[in-house]
Amino acid sequence: PQFQPDPTRPPERAPMPESAGAPAPRPRGRGRDAWPPWLSIAAFATGYGATIVLGIIVLTIGGAFGLSTRNPPAGVNIGLTIVQNAALIGAAYFFAALSGRPAASDFGLRRPERIWRSARLLIAVWIGFFVLSAIWALALQLDEPQTLPEDLGANGPLLNALAVVVLVTVIAPLGEELFFRGFFFGALRNWRGPAIAATLTGALFGLIHVGSAPVGYLVPLAIFGVGLCLLYEWTGSLYPSIALHALNNSIALGANLDWTWQIPAMMVGSTLGALGAAWLLARMIGERAPAQPASAPAPVAP
């Protein structure tokens, strides 16, 4: 006869494994979620350290041939600034690769899911920055112009002026956004969340402009840096931050040079140029292959 279990007897439980009851290990994230916060400091020190060392070498060699080390030519300043942005991008990629091969989307180089919402957020952040900057400038009575365009030779020959426009409105927005928002903010975000990460990133973003901007403008620049972090956080894409950075630099550069009709043309051209360069960089970095689920073992024949 078929065995019938006793309905009054509680069912037997399977033996509990030794590891049961202990908290399961937290799975390690992929991409940006795997970046520890110390990588941000290491990448910053490496990128700027390499630029400083190269600058010392260039000025030392140039000084031996009669080059002025206190007021180097505009071409030298432009070249070192380009090297600085390249060093920041290289440092971000190198240290991100320590946690696994990074993808373009890890740095925020991905299309926003909602284009019009991203555009509205861009305008809101930009207006907020203008309002806070105006209040700060009125409170401190700031009217000192920036000397960076003159140091780069923007008032010189046409070719030199075009090089300054490309550097300030295309290269700088791409390099600084990929490093500070795409990498630095992304690594710090894993430490204490987006609010503290945005504050620290914005403060450092303001400090790096010491020497290229009047001291009184460092606080508005830090506010701008915080706003760019929030824009990246809210849209999930670095492209709106790159576009806002290019637009703002175009207006600032044109205002310092007393340009008129050139400013709108520069705003359109620089935004398209910066976004196009970011798209090309994203194609170069590429995307990682999706994780493949573990295949089940083949059944054993009886």
Side-chain angles (χ1 to χ4, degrees), residues 69-134:
T69 56
R70 292 188 176 182
N71 296 303
V76 173
N77 291 328
I78 292 175
L80 289 177
T81 307
I82 294 175
V83 169
Q84 173 182 294
N85 283 273
L88 288 177
I89 294 176
Y93 187 88
F94 173 81
F95 283 95
L98 296 181
S99 300
R101 179 185 177 275
S105 58
D106 295 329
F107 299 103
L109 296 176
R110 54 179 175 267
R111 182 178 181 272
E113 295 182 359
R114 301 170 65 182
I115 300 295
W116 293 114
R117 177 178 180 272
S118 299
R120 291 193 297 268
L121 287 171
L122 185 154
I123 295 173
V125 171
W126 202 5
I127 293 175
F129 166 65
F130 271 129
V131 171
L132 293 176
S133 298

Side-chain angles (χ1 to χ4, degrees), residues 105-195:
S105 58
D106 295 329
F107 299 103
L109 296 176
R110 54 179 175 267
R111 182 178 181 272
E113 295 182 359
R114 301 170 65 182
I115 300 295
W116 293 114
R117 177 178 180 272
S118 299
R120 291 193 297 268
L121 287 171
L122 185 154
I123 295 173
V125 171
W126 202 5
I127 293 175
F129 166 65
F130 271 129
V131 171
L132 293 176
S133 298
I135 295 174
W136 179 265
L138 289 174
L140 273 65
Q141 297 182 353
L142 299 176
D143 57 358
E144 183 181 358
Q146 297 188 23
T147 60
L148 179 61
E150 297 180 0
D151 296 337
L152 296 175
N155 291 321
L158 178 60
L159 185 60
N160 202 104
L162 291 176
V164 174
V165 169
V166 173
L167 172 63
V168 174
T169 66
V170 177
I171 297 177
L174 174 60
E176 293 178 0
E177 288 310 305
L178 188 136
F179 180 82
F180 284 101
R181 258 60 64 178
F183 179 72
F184 195 93
F185 170 73
L188 288 185
R189 189 180 183 277
N190 297 332
W191 175 46
R192 289 292 187 269

